[in-house]
Amino acid sequence: MDTYQHILLAADFSEHGRLVAQKAASLAKLHQARLSIIHIVDNLTIIDSTYGPVIPFETDLNEQLIQASQQRLKSFSETLSIPEERQFLEMGNAKLEIVATAEENQVDLIIVGSHGRHGFSALLGSTASGILNHAQCDVLAVRLKGD
Ligand code: AMP
């Protein structure tokens, strides 16, 4: 069996994210692979009934969101012993940013949860299925069950 060299954990810090992280950590250990982590911050937009999606004037809010996410990513990464240079924080569309970061960093396995913060309505969440459809490398969706 081929071994993986570089594994990317997509972390949304949801309730079940810890389980996905544990799976990523044990696979990295098994394959003696590098483990990286990525979190995507959604752009804050306000839907205005006349103008549609608009960027809020209060850009401080975005700044605060980024800082809070950075802090969260840092402490989550520490529990997995992931060094700073392998912690990625991006803004925008989660599936596109995750796939792009994987390609830029020669990742050969992306690990996601089957579901995230948006719930369990479908077999596979939209971020997970988007990554599965677009990634050039292998993708492992860790099955998470609803309560
Ligand atoms: P979803 O498809 O949105 O239900 O989420 C499925 C999985 O995609 C989650 O368990 C995470 O592994 C990953 N994911 C979703 N949103 C993000 C995000 N903003 N940043 C990083 N990973 C994410």
Side-chain angles (χ1 to χ4, degrees), residues 95 98-99 102-103 110 129-139:
K95 62 175 179 287
I98 291 167
V99 168
E103 279 169 25
I110 301 172
S129 69
I131 293 169
L132 209 55
N133 277 316
H134 292 99
Q136 308 274 327
C137 65
D138 289 358
V139 180

Side-chain angles (χ1 to χ4, degrees), residues 33-105:
R34 280 173 293 146
L35 180 60
S36 293
I37 184 168
I38 184 164
H39 176 71
I40 313 301
V41 183
D42 283 338
N43 267 318
L44 268 186
T45 50
I46 294 171
I47 307 296
D48 181 278
S49 57
T50 311
Y51 300 104
V54 291
I55 304 292
F57 293 107
E58 197 52 83
T59 46
D60 271 2
L61 272 180
N62 265 329
E63 202 45 54
Q64 282 173 26
L65 194 61
I66 291 169
Q67 275 176 19
S69 306
Q70 245 156 5
Q71 200 46 49
R72 203 136 186 221
L73 180 64
K74 189 167 181 274
S75 49
F76 199 82
S77 302
E78 275 166 9
T79 66
L80 298 165
S81 306
I82 299 177
E84 216 168 308
E85 67 271 17
R86 294 210 299 270
Q87 300 170 18
F88 298 98
L89 186 74
E90 304 292 342
M91 283 200 84
N93 178 291
K95 62 175 179 287
L96 298 181
E97 296 298 331
I98 291 167
V99 168
T101 301
E103 279 169 25
E104 281 158 22
N105 292 277

Side-chain angles (χ1 to χ4, degrees), residues 113-116 118-131:
S114 55
H115 296 88
H118 305 298
F120 290 84
S121 56
L123 193 61
L124 207 57
S126 65
T127 312
S129 69
I131 293 169

